[in-house]
Amino acid sequence: VASLKAIPEGRYVERLPIESADEMNTITNEINGIAKMISSNLRELGDEKRKLDFILDHMDQGLCILDTFGRITLVNRFIKDLLGFNDAENLNRDYLYLFRDETIQAGIRDALEKGVGMNGTFQSDNRHYAVSIVKNPDDGNGTESVLLIFTDITKPDGSPFGNALETSLSAW
């Protein structure tokens, strides 16, 4: 039993001794094969998660993902640094805890309720950011999400690149 409990942790060892050629032996072999396959899949998923985390944390854009109910499900390092995000305090909480700006809140509400996106600008600590809020449609599993993407558009002289986007957002 202890060896079966180790499978979710990705630790596979031969589970059950194989001592006979009867029907129990066949079942034992099948259980061992399934346990080995599950353990291998868990290791692969862990590897893929580490790769994704590395990519997200080294992006030069901020990314925040909200679930269907507006709860914060993912933020990358850029957003954590920009907004002082703390996983323990904010992850799985309502977006209102992180995004205090009324225009951003309205953009998120529109994306959640109407599927309407928003583009705008945001300024914080003498930096300028282009902000896009978009609804990610159902992925086939009944899961929709809202993506917030922040891109630093500050020129070396401290002014924003290009024309102002549709909406100007204040610092929150």
Side-chain angles (χ1 to χ4, degrees):
V1 172
S3 61
L4 290 175
K5 289 181 180 179
I7 294 172
E9 299 168 6
R11 293 183 288 130
Y12 172 78
V13 292
E14 192 69 29
R15 302 289 180 261
L16 304 169
I18 302 169
E19 298 177 357
S20 65
D22 62 4
E23 197 170 300
M24 277 305 283
N25 185 47
T26 303
I27 293 171
T28 300
N29 284 331
E30 290 298 319
I31 291 172
N32 284 337
I34 291 168
K36 189 173 185 176
M37 181 185 66
I38 291 170
S39 181
S40 174
N41 288 343
L42 288 173
R43 263 193 311 279
E44 287 176 23
L45 286 172
D47 290 345
E48 293 302 315
K49 182 184 182 323
R50 281 188 289 284
K51 289 177 191 175
L52 179 60
D53 288 345
F54 180 83
I55 291 168
L56 289 172
D57 283 343
H58 291 84
M59 289 175 60
D60 63 354
Q61 291 181 311
L63 177 65
C64 177
I65 300 178
L66 309 174
D67 68 11
T68 305
F69 304 104
R71 292 180 301 226
I72 301 163
T73 59
L74 182 140
V75 295
N76 69 349
R77 175 69 48 213
F78 187 106
I79 293 290
K80 289 177 182 181
D81 293 344
L82 176 64
L83 302 177
F85 184 89
N86 178 307
D87 285 345
E89 293 176 11
N90 298 104
L91 205 57
N92 296 313
R93 292 187 81 178
D94 191 274
Y95 66 90
L96 297 172
Y97 289 96
L98 182 61
F99 299 105
R100 305 290 182 170
D101 184 88
E102 290 179 15
T103 306
I104 287 182
Q105 291 177 0
I108 292 170
R109 270 193 310 276
D110 284 348
L112 287 168
E113 296 169 6
K114 302 174 188 172
V116 177
M118 181 190 93
N119 291 314
T121 59
F122 163 75
Q123 183 178 349
S124 177
D125 297 329
N126 298 321
R127 305 293 301 173
H128 300 270
Y129 302 91
V131 180
S132 295
I133 302 173
V134 296
K135 186 165 190 173
N136 190 25
D138 185 343
D139 62 6
N141 294 323
T143 305
E144 295 179 336
S145 57
V146 172
L147 282 67
L148 288 89
I149 303 164
F150 289 70
T151 304
D152 191 340
I153 57 170
T154 309
K155 287 195 232 179
D157 68 2
S159 64
F161 274 104
N163 299 329
L165 299 173
E166 294 174 22
T167 308
S168 179
L169 307 174
S170 60
W172 55 80

